[in-house]
Every structure is written in structure tokens, then in C-alpha cells.
Amino acid sequence: MPEYAPLDIPEDGKLSDNILWFARALRKAGLPIGTGRVIDAVRAVEAAGFTSKSDFFYTLRACFVSRPEQATVFAQVFRLYWRDPRFMEHMMAMMLPAVRGVQEERAAQAAEKRAAEALLDGAQGDLPEMENPRGEDEVQIEIDASRTMSGEERLRSLDFEQMSTDEIARARRMLARLTLPVKPIASRRAQASHSGHRYDLRRSLREAMRRGGEMGRLYRVEPRPRWPNLVVLCDISGSMSQYSRMVLHFLHAVANAKGQGWAKVHAFTFGTRLTNITRHLRQRDVDAALAAAGAEAQDWEGGTRIGDCLHAFNRDWSRRVMGQGAVVLLITDGLDRDDPEQLAREMERLHLSARQLIWLNPLLRWDGFAPKAQGIAAMLPHVDSFRAGHNIAALEDLAEALSRRDDPGDKARLMALL
């Protein structure tokens, strides 16, 4: 239970209004709260009383929390909303990462930044309108914004490294809505169908034997669809740290989305060593999932040993996760100083094990990019598609690359420069 200052309730206090605004803050933080739950919360507090602080906390939690992963978000919003004695310090530490003080004393917990953003979101819109002191002589300026780029369109094309704190928060919300659908793979196994092009002779004869040899109907079958696995290898070295965090937000949305077609989503991070973070991305809360993944991977913002990490993946994990025609996403800038021959061998083995290997490189955003680095030159011939991965628009183009296996991206142009 969070700690907070004693609450002195005045005689004319509006507790029901405060519960209503608290519910709105929870809704902005992602909890599905409707009007019925707010009414139930007010009635529950009225029945339980307001003499005990712990009873008040658990009464509201019983009314507003319906899933285990929502408890962390509720606790953080509750601590910030109900008069935390260090409310402003926590808010500044969450919203302005450059500010020192509270942020140095205590590390940010899961869902804490989302709770702060939910409480600050829309604060300016709730202020009453001020009267015009200048009267009717004030000149109004009208601006034609019909040809200006909208906020989301600008955010789609903005580089992840150039985003401010507010833009990163909005970009993460956009990434949470992205989808990465995939088409099924036709398998040799068949399933019953009324409109299939093949006849199920075994079933037809079996049914005829039950009727004394009389053939009453010819049954049909069609190929049973099979969904591939998605395997993601994400570089978390110092040059890729900002891009990796945004890609992991996108992967969390893909791993938890329903109906996109992937059988399983396996995620690995690598810098100086390989780390499997698949089980962490299965958590419903994105903040808790990325916090657990960051704790598991101890080489964040460190060096890069792509060849050794790919060797560890091919040796320990390839046979486990690469079956059934898996699609591999490799997110790295390719700046590796190890043996390029070893890197080429491991990339070739990875390519032969995958149904499709797509390389996302944020360096491709530069117009004059050329495969001059030894690591990039060793990796490029062994990928099916080479694409940029520096903004939201590049991640949206992944759907096109997955649906068209013959789309090499910029690979052909860069192979001519080798």
C-alpha cells in the first residue's frame, strides 16, 4: 500500500466529486472505468466509512481494479492523486527526466510515469475561461491551417532520437495502436471444407462403408492454415538505445494483440550478450513489462558483439523458436568491430533457418548512407529485406514487407555499392 499524508476532511468537503475526478485519472491511465463503477465506488465508500486510510484504499481498489496488472497503475495514481506529501517533486521527476532530486533518491517504479501523465493530461482544459480585459477592440487573428501537417503526421516521420519527452509519450501511444498482421502459410495438412478443391477419399469411403457400400456424398478438404512465429533480435547497445526502447514498445503491442496471426512472438536483446525477454513482453502492462526486460538485460547501452550474440542464438535458440517457418526481425545498426567472417557465417546460418529475414537499420535514414562498415557489408548479402527503422512510419511499412516477400527494400541499391 502506498504512503501518503494524513487527510483532514473538512465539513463541506466534496468527496464524491474527488472520487469522480480520481476515476477520470484512472481512465486516462488506461483502466476501463465507466459510470457504473464510479457510482459503486461512491456507495462503497459511504458504506465502509472514511475513518481508516487503508480501508479507503482497498475499497476504491475493489471497485476500480478488475485485473491483476491494473493494481500497479491504480496504486501509483492513488499515491499521486490523494495528496502525496511530495506530490510536486514526484510529478517533476516523472515528467522531466533531466531534473535531479527525487529522481536520484528513488528509481521510477512501473506505471509511475503513466500515472503522472494521466493526472497532468488535460489540466489546462479544466481551467475556467477568463474574461476579456480589452473589451471588443481586441483584434482576432485567423490562421489557415489547412495545409499544415497534423501532429500525428509529423510524429510519424520524426526520428526517435529527435523526439522530446512529450513526443516520446505520444509516439508510444501511437505504437500501441499499430498492428503487424501476417498471412497464414499453406501447410500439407488438410481440414474439412465445403468448397475445397480436393476430395477427402478416405472419409468418403469410410462413410460409404457405413451405408453398405453406397456412396452418398463426396467430402472435400482444403489446406489447413499455419501461422508462423515472429522472432525479434533487438540491439540495445549505446548507439541503439533510444531506437530499441521504442521498438520494444511496438513489440509489446504486437505480442499482446489478438488476431494478428502470429503463433508466438519471441524477443531477444543483444549487446555484449544475448538475453531472452519473451516472457516479460507477455505481461499486459507495458511499463511493468519493459521494466522487467530492462532488469533482465544487463548490457543496456553497452558495447556491441553482434557475431558472438548471433552465434549464441543459432546454437541455443534457433531450433526452439525457428520452426514452422519463422519470420525474423533484426534491429541493429550493424556497427560491429569483431571478425566480419564470423559475422557473415552466423548471418548465413540465421538466414537459412528463417522463412524471411528483415533487417531494420536506423542509419538508413541518412541520404548518403553506404555499406562501408565491415559489419554492414558482411550482414547485407544474407537478408531478404533491408529497411529503415528510425520512426513510426518505418515500423508501419513492416506490414508491406511481410505481405510481399519479393520486396527487398533498399538491399538491391546498397548491394550495387559493395
Side-chain angles (χ1 to χ4, degrees):
M1 177 179 173
E3 299 179 358
Y4 46 87
L7 302 178
D8 299 328
I9 305 301
E11 296 180 356
D12 58 345
K14 297 182 179 181
L15 184 58
S16 60
D17 294 343
N18 289 327
I19 295 177
L20 172 62
W21 287 102
F22 175 61
R24 292 183 178 180
L26 290 175
R27 189 183 301 113
K28 292 179 181 179
L31 273 65
I33 296 176
T35 307
R37 290 196 180 187
V38 179
I39 297 176
D40 293 341
V42 174
R43 292 177 178 175
V45 172
E46 182 181 1
F50 201 76
T51 57
S52 174
K53 294 176 288 187
S54 60
D55 290 346
F56 181 65
F57 172 81
Y58 289 109
T59 300
L60 292 181
R61 194 177 75 167
C63 297
F64 291 140
V65 176
S66 57
R67 300 181 64 90
E69 59 269 13
Q70 299 172 359
T72 304
V73 180
F74 174 85
Q76 297 296 350
V77 178
F78 185 92
R79 180 181 61 81
L80 293 178
Y81 185 86
W82 295 101
R83 297 178 60 181
D84 190 323
R86 306 182 69 181
F87 174 78
M88 291 306 299
E89 289 86 351
H90 287 307
M91 297 288 277
M92 292 298 294
M94 291 302 100
M95 303 306 295
L96 300 176
V99 177
R100 297 296 183 263
V102 177
Q103 194 178 22
E104 291 181 345
E105 298 173 4
R106 180 186 56 82
Q109 300 177 3
E112 198 168 22
K113 183 174 180 180
R114 191 201 304 184
E117 291 176 350
L119 293 178
L120 289 181
D121 186 21
Q124 297 294 335
D126 297 332
L127 298 177
E129 297 183 359
M130 299 183 62
E131 297 181 358
N132 183 11
R134 300 180 60 180
E136 301 179 355
D137 297 335
E138 182 179 359
V139 179
Q140 296 183 356
I141 302 176
E142 296 183 358
I143 300 176
D144 184 10
S146 59
R147 298 191 179 185
T148 59
M149 185 179 297
S150 64
E152 287 198 356
E153 288 295 328
R154 175 182 176 274
L155 210 58
R156 287 180 66 254
S157 59
L158 188 62
D159 195 308
F160 289 142
E161 276 195 344
Q162 300 175 357
M163 291 183 178
S164 62
T165 304
D166 179 65
E167 290 171 341
I168 290 177
R170 288 188 290 140
R172 288 173 178 175
R173 289 192 289 268
M174 292 179 62
L175 290 175
R177 301 194 302 265
L178 291 185
T179 58
L180 196 62
V182 63
K183 295 181 180 180
I185 304 174
S187 64
R188 296 181 180 180
R189 295 182 178 272
Q191 63 181 6
S193 173
H194 293 286
S195 59
H197 298 288
R198 293 166 50 194
Y199 290 104
D200 190 353
L201 299 180
R202 179 180 298 180
R203 183 181 178 186
S204 300
L205 292 176
R206 187 168 55 245
E207 292 295 332
M209 292 296 293
R210 293 177 180 176
R211 295 181 174 87
E214 181 180 355
M215 184 70 70
R217 176 184 175 186
L218 287 176
Y219 293 91
R220 298 173 180 268
V221 293
E222 64 180 3
R224 179 183 300 176
R226 179 169 55 86
W227 306 99
N229 291 341
L230 177 63
V231 180
V232 182
L233 301 172
C234 187
D235 189 350
I236 56 173
S237 60
S239 60
M240 288 286 298
S241 60
Q242 186 60 45
Y243 300 103
S244 302
R245 297 179 192 277
M246 304 302 292
V247 170
L248 290 179
H249 271 80
F250 171 64
L251 293 180
H252 179 271
V254 173
N256 289 273
K258 302 298 182 181
Q260 295 195 35
W262 299 107
K264 293 182 180 179
V265 178
H266 301 275
F268 297 83
T269 61
F270 67 90
T272 56
R273 65 179 184 177
L274 185 72
T275 305
N276 186 0
I277 61 170
T278 301
R279 61 187 180 93
H280 300 305
L281 291 184
R282 293 173 182 171
Q283 301 185 35
R284 303 289 295 181
D285 187 87
V286 60
D287 296 327
L290 295 186
E296 182 77 14
Q298 300 295 328
D299 52 347
W300 277 93
E301 300 186 7
T304 308
R305 301 179 64 184
I306 304 178
D308 292 340
C309 293
L310 290 182
H311 174 71
F313 175 81
N314 291 328
R315 180 193 60 198
D316 301 333
W317 293 99
S318 179
R319 292 186 179 181
R320 304 183 190 182
V321 302
M322 296 289 288
Q324 307 298 323
V327 176
V328 180
L329 293 182
L330 180 62
I331 299 98
T332 180
D333 53 11
L335 302 180
D336 188 21
R337 297 182 180 180
D338 290 341
D339 184 9
E341 295 182 359
Q342 178 194 7
L343 180 58
R345 288 194 305 268
E346 299 301 332
M347 281 294 299
E348 182 181 9
R349 182 179 176 183
L350 179 64
H351 186 207
L352 294 175
S353 303
R355 179 172 179 266
Q356 187 178 8
L357 177 56
I358 302 176
W359 182 8
L360 299 182
N361 192 332
L363 297 181
L364 198 57
R365 68 187 185 274
W366 306 113
D367 296 334
F369 175 79
K372 297 181 180 179
Q374 292 183 352
I376 298 177
M379 297 170 62
L380 187 59
H382 306 290
V383 298
D384 295 312
S385 180
F386 185 63
R387 316 181 73 86
H390 62 289
N391 54 22
I392 299 176
L395 297 180
E396 291 176 344
D397 292 340
L398 269 180
E400 180 181 355
L402 292 174
S403 60
R404 297 179 54 188
R405 294 191 59 186
D406 57 344
D407 182 11
D410 291 323
K411 177 184 175 180
R413 178 179 62 86
L414 296 177
M415 286 294 295
L417 300 177
L418 288 177

